[in-house]
């Protein structure tokens, strides 16, 4: 797994996700009891409560697997502390195709990190074409990345600051 494909988590985000995982695992017996209770109601073909409980169980098991995968492969660390270089956990300002008026400010991070809370700050993954192109870029440096339609776009880093909640 390359460094840009790693999911970076703050210690707080890791603990929050671990708490969610523990709660879901602890809830397994409750869901199993609900399924058994609904099964005893009779005909399973027309038993909406049974099917709803099974659906809920499936969704919870999928979330458990997702959280286990995320936590097993995540790298726990703190946001970068230096300015001027685009790293996971940096809030960056960029402009596109040499047009200094066409700027955008966003966070380079994974959405699972929950770093931005209720903020309107857009988040781009370090594994995305734009995020990946900017990783390790220094202020003033221009990088190029491929758009979904196959064209390329130039992006210039204007600023990079550590994220502060």
């Amino acid at each position: 797994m390359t460094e840009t494909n790693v999911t970076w988590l703050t210690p707080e985000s890791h603990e929050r996700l671990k708490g969610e995982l523990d709660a879901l695992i602890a809830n397994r017996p409750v869901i199993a009891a609900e399924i058994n209770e609904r099964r005893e109601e009779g005909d399973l073909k027309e038993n909406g409560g049974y099917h709803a409980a099974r659906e809920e169980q499936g969704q919870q098991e999928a979330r458990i697997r997702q959280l286990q995968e995320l936590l097993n492969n995540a790298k726990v660390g703190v946001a970068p502390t230096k300015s001027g270089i685009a790293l996971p956990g940096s809030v960056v300002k960029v402009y596109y195709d040499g047009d200094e008026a066409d700027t955008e400010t966003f966070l380079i991070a994974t959405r699972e990190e929950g770093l931005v809370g209720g903020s309107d700050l857009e988040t781009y993954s370090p594994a995305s074409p734009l995020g990946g192109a900017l990783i390790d870029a220094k202020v003033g440096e221009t990088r190029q990345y491929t758009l979904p339609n196959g064209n390329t776009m130039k992006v210039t880093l204007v600023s990079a600051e550590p994220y502060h909640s």
Side-chain angles (χ1 to χ4, degrees):
M1 189 178 293
T2 65
E3 285 294 300
T4 57
N5 291 332
V6 168
T7 299
W8 289 85
L9 295 175
T10 62
E12 298 81 13
S13 296
H14 185 273
E15 284 305 309
R16 181 181 52 78
L17 293 171
K18 178 78 171 95
E20 180 184 350
L21 175 61
D22 292 344
L24 287 170
I25 289 172
N27 195 45
R28 278 176 166 162
V30 174
I31 295 293
E34 174 77 13
I35 290 170
N36 286 333
E37 185 179 310
R38 298 297 181 188
R39 182 180 293 131
E40 292 173 5
E41 291 176 357
D43 185 9
L44 296 182
K45 289 182 183 177
E46 297 181 20
N47 187 334
Y50 171 79
H51 293 292
R54 292 288 306 224
E55 177 70 21
E56 183 178 351
Q57 180 188 41
Q59 290 173 354
Q60 285 192 7
E61 289 300 319
R63 181 63 177 158
I64 287 170
R65 285 190 303 276
Q66 179 187 30
L67 289 171
Q68 286 173 330
E69 172 85 14
L70 175 66
L71 292 170
N72 288 339
N73 296 312
K75 183 166 184 174
V76 179
V78 294
T81 56
K82 18 183 229 188
S83 299
I85 187 165
L87 298 167
S90 296
V91 176
V92 299
K93 182 175 182 180
V94 300
Y95 64 84
Y96 299 95
D97 272 345
D99 181 1
E100 294 185 27
D102 183 15
T103 64
E104 182 178 15
T105 301
F106 55 88
L107 174 67
I108 299 177
T110 55
R111 296 187 189 282
E112 289 87 359
E113 290 180 81
L115 289 174
V116 293
S119 171
D120 291 333
L121 191 61
E122 186 67 43
T123 303
Y124 287 93
S125 168
S128 71
L130 175 57
L134 288 170
I135 293 296
D136 294 327
K138 293 175 179 52
V139 169
E141 192 173 339
T142 299
R143 300 274 181 96
Q144 192 169 294
Y145 66 100
T146 304
L147 299 170
N149 65 8
N151 293 335
T152 58
M153 173 74 74
K154 289 183 180 177
V155 60
T156 302
L157 184 63
V158 175
S159 66
E161 298 295 328
Y163 175 78
H164 299 289
S165 53

